[in-house]
Amino acid sequence: MESNAVVWFRKGLRIHDNPALDYACRGSSHIFPVFVLDPRYLHPDPSAFSLGSARAGLNRIRFLLDCLLDLDSSLRNLGSRLLVLKGHPEPASVICQILKDWNIQKLCYEFDTEPYGQARDRQVTDFASQHGIEVFSPVSHTLFDPAEVIKKNGGRPPLTYQSFVALAGKPPDPLAKTYSELPPVGNVGNVELLNIPTIEELGYKDIEQEEFSPFGGGESEALRRLKEVLKDKEWVANFEKPKGDPSAFWKPATTVLSPYLKFGCLSSRYFYHCLHNVYLTVGKHTSPPVSLVGQLLWREFFYTVAFGTPNFDQMRGNKICKQIPWKDDDKLLVAWREGRTGYPWIDAIMIQLKKWGWMHHLARHSVACFLTRGDLFIHWEKGRDVFERLLIDSDWAINNGNWLWLSCSAFFYQYHRIYSPISFGRKYDPDGKYIRHFLPVLKDMPNEYIYEPWTAPLSIQKKANCIIGKDYPRPVVVHDKASKECRKKMGEAYGKVGSVEEEDNVAASESTAMQKRKRRT
């Protein structure tokens, strides 16, 4: 008797270490590898502040299309293909329809922890159980099952990294299975199959974006990048998160594997396994939380807390989030979002985000701090929305977790520690090469003024062909004054009545101690 299985790809856009694909192949005469185009993520939204859909900017949409082309190519090499379907009215109903039309006995897909994915999948599993269809939904986007970690912790998510690591233990090994061929695709009947669309076919015409992300999507590219990273065993062994140059852009000071993990082009278990093998080879290496394995565990920590915390993506109704009276200022928000704050370090980062859909983690820290508790005192949810739209590696749990952290709303509470929009970038890039690349209007500004161009005499500004207030904006706030005001407001929100001067003294002493530590290393 024939047995038909559907592999429903959403994330997990890969062949390697794919338990859903592996299970679908077992005992099946035919498998139907399916991807449903979700209009929520792909259809143009003319009202959005940048090119893209209601949920994603153009860079991330392009990255996803790369992933689908690569996955289809890999499937074709194994005698199969990717069946692309229109997600109208929405993906869940499309999946339910094909389960019936194609006489499916087995539905396999990777478990999704996000609220949107959970609601969508419940609809499908309810339909499947009513029609006697077996559902296999393994946890393979993360190293650990968040529900299991929460269960070990008495039904509550662990709220510190250390407690999470102690509970989680060692992750399972990746599947070692490789394929020479897959069961063939069965009869699809009258179901309309689509080609993987181009950007233009999705409705994005007359694109005026000057520059696109230099990072291409797909499993093949993910594995190529991983191989390059692993070649330098010493770099892998000595990687330390707080270090690294956020201004390095042509050769970033990190792996740039986050978008591939986000889309599941790279298995986190396989990545962990490869890193562990390097550590065994070299002997001495850094450890969590600062090592590369430590970064994978941070990802797991945020996934687990997000999965176990209702309303994790907002301040209201979120029991782990401090209730802070952020101000509402659309003019300042737009200046930050569009790279027009008048602080070149901040603006260059936001332009890189807009053009590339990616920036170094310390660059993200700088602009997130500036928007929230550092200078502008604008709600972290507003910044989260911008990152969620523009980042190619935008990940619901990690993006929200990082904004909660960097705004001192949860996890991290030393609100007096503020990233300077002037001295922090200068420490890494005194010549301002990063700024000159992403803000060419400042390319001829002398080094001494590149981080504070408003302090340049008018004669220097004229010589640099950049008049402040005309060619490049004046600062939207005075940093010293704004940061003092932010610390005062944060202290009030925390219920602390200490003076701003006391906070300044703490910040100054911590800064001095940090400089001494840096000199020692």
Side-chain angles (χ1 to χ4, degrees):
M1 185 180 168
E2 286 200 341
S3 173
N4 297 328
V6 161
V7 187
W8 181 16
F9 287 95
R10 301 92 65 86
K11 297 172 190 169
L13 302 176
R14 64 179 185 271
I15 304 296
H16 77 278
D17 187 32
N18 190 328
L21 176 64
D22 175 57
Y23 191 78
C25 290
R26 291 184 205 172
S28 297
S29 319
H30 302 100
I31 67 163
F32 297 77
V34 167
F35 186 88
V36 182
L37 298 174
D38 189 339
R40 186 171 182 255
Y41 284 97
L42 295 171
H43 285 191
D45 180 2
S47 67
F49 69 79
S50 73
L51 278 170
S53 67
R55 306 289 300 180
L58 208 52
N59 273 318
R60 192 155 82 253
I61 293 170
R62 286 169 66 101
F63 193 95
L64 169 62
L65 298 180
D66 285 349
C67 296
L68 297 180
L69 286 166
D70 186 69
L71 179 61
D72 182 51
S73 173
S74 299
L75 288 168
R76 285 176 187 275
N77 288 338
L78 297 171
S80 184
R81 61 171 289 201
L82 188 62
L83 307 173
V84 179
L85 306 174
K86 189 183 290 185
H88 184 77
E90 35 75 42
S93 58
V94 172
I95 292 295
C96 293
Q97 188 62 47
I98 61 164
L99 291 178
K100 202 162 71 171
D101 290 351
W102 293 344
N103 188 29
I104 300 299
Q105 284 77 47
K106 195 159 62 172
L107 170 65
C108 306
Y109 60 83
E110 182 177 76
F111 183 73
D112 193 334
T113 56
E114 295 179 19
Y116 172 70
Q118 291 264 298
R120 174 199 61 206
D121 295 352
R122 266 195 303 274
Q123 195 179 330
V124 172
T125 51
D126 287 350
F127 177 89
S129 65
Q130 286 165 19
H131 291 79
I133 297 166
E134 180 188 359
V135 175
F136 180 68
S137 179
V139 172
S140 54
H141 189 63
T142 50
L143 296 173
F144 305 100
D145 182 345
E148 283 299 312
V149 177
I150 290 167
K151 188 178 172 186
K152 282 185 193 175
N153 199 44
R156 299 178 312 279
L159 295 179
T160 68
Y161 179 84
Q162 291 77 9
S163 59
F164 167 79
V165 171
L167 282 163
K170 186 178 178 293
D173 290 333
L175 293 179
K177 180 155 186 178
T178 56
Y179 302 92
S180 55
E181 63 176 354
L182 295 174
V185 174
N187 181 8
V188 298
N190 295 322
V191 174
E192 184 189 0
L193 300 180
L194 308 175
N195 292 321
I196 295 163
T198 63
I199 279 288
E200 292 75 20
E201 286 165 351
L202 285 173
Y204 298 97
K205 305 233 167 94
D206 305 320
I207 297 165
E208 291 175 11
Q209 193 163 325
E210 300 164 18
E211 195 175 344
F212 288 100
S213 176
F215 310 114
E219 179 182 21
S220 303
E221 179 63 9
L223 295 175
R224 185 196 69 77
R225 281 184 170 275
L226 177 63
K227 193 175 175 185
E228 282 297 310
V229 166
L230 297 173
K231 268 185 194 171
D232 192 344
K233 290 184 169 56
E234 191 178 334
W235 184 86
V236 169
N238 295 323
F239 180 90
E240 207 169 333
K241 173 78 180 266
K243 297 178 181 176
D245 181 355
S247 69
F249 55 98
W250 287 127
K251 191 169 185 248
T254 183
T255 65
V256 197
L257 287 171
S258 54
Y260 303 94
L261 290 166
K262 180 261 184 309
F263 282 101
C265 310
L266 175 63
S267 152
S268 57
R269 295 192 300 199
Y270 181 63
F271 188 19
Y272 181 98
H273 178 74
C274 292
L275 292 174
H276 188 64
N277 285 345
V278 170
Y279 293 165
L280 289 174
T281 306
V282 296
K284 190 180 176 185
H285 57 84
T286 53
S287 300
V290 299
S291 62
L292 276 175
V293 158
Q295 304 323 297
L296 280 175
L297 295 176
W298 276 114
R299 177 179 185 264
E300 298 292 314
F301 168 66
F302 281 133
Y303 262 88
T304 302
V305 180
F307 182 66
T309 306
N311 304 311
F312 183 70
D313 59 350
Q314 59 191 59
M315 182 173 80
R316 288 183 184 277
N318 181 351
K319 64 183 179 185
I320 70 167
C321 181
K322 289 213 172 277
Q323 303 299 298
I324 297 168
W326 304 105
K327 72 180 182 189
D328 208 4
D329 191 323
D330 285 346
K331 194 175 173 186
L332 285 179
L333 175 66
V334 169
W336 174 83
R337 186 186 77 199
E338 301 298 325
R340 295 199 303 261
T341 67
Y343 286 93
W345 172 243
I346 300 299
D347 293 344
I349 294 167
M350 294 307 291
I351 297 299
Q352 184 186 18
L353 169 61
K354 205 172 176 182
K355 289 187 171 182
W356 287 20
W358 184 90
M359 67 282 215
H360 189 275
H361 56 267
L362 289 177
R364 301 180 195 206
H365 292 190
S366 292
V367 294
C369 179
F370 184 87
L371 180 72
T372 56
R373 63 185 173 84
D375 289 80
L376 304 186
F377 212 68
I378 287 173
H379 205 312
W380 63 267
E381 289 176 20
K382 303 274 190 179
R384 180 275 318 278
D385 289 346
V386 173
F387 273 29
E388 184 177 298
R389 176 172 192 78
L390 297 180
L391 283 168
I392 56 173
D393 61 4
S394 175
D395 187 304
W396 185 79
I398 300 167
N399 190 31
N400 281 293
N402 277 322
W403 276 96
L404 284 162
W405 183 295
L406 290 162
S407 65
C408 286
S409 295
F411 309 117
F412 175 78
Y413 305 106
Q414 295 176 42
Y415 60 83
H416 49 267
R417 293 178 64 177
I418 287 170
Y419 289 88
S420 165
I422 299 160
S423 60
F424 187 72
R426 184 184 275 147
K427 178 172 65 174
Y428 295 96
D429 182 20
D431 297 339
K433 289 173 188 167
Y434 177 79
I435 290 169
R436 295 176 205 283
H437 178 82
F438 288 105
L439 295 174
V441 69
L442 291 170
K443 67 184 171 61
D444 297 321
M445 193 63 71
N447 289 357
E448 62 190 289
Y449 301 113
I450 191 72
Y451 285 88
E452 303 171 89
W454 63 91
T455 65
L458 187 58
S459 59
I460 299 285
Q461 294 180 32
K462 284 179 177 174
K463 196 175 175 185
N465 295 310
C466 182
I467 306 299
I468 303 307
K470 180 186 166 198
D471 303 305
Y472 180 72
R474 295 183 190 282
V476 290
V477 292
V478 177
H479 170 63
D480 288 346
K481 186 180 170 191
S483 60
K484 272 188 181 180
E485 186 60 28
C486 283
R487 282 201 293 272
K488 180 170 175 281
K489 287 177 181 171
M490 290 297 288
E492 289 166 358
Y494 273 48
K496 294 184 179 177
V497 292
S499 69
V500 174
E501 285 73 20
E502 285 172 358
E503 296 287 7
D504 285 346
N505 291 338
V506 173
S509 63
E510 287 203 351
S511 176
T512 306
M514 205 180 294
Q515 291 305 319
K516 283 179 181 172
R517 284 198 297 273
K518 280 188 167 56
R519 282 197 289 274
R520 283 201 296 271
T521 55

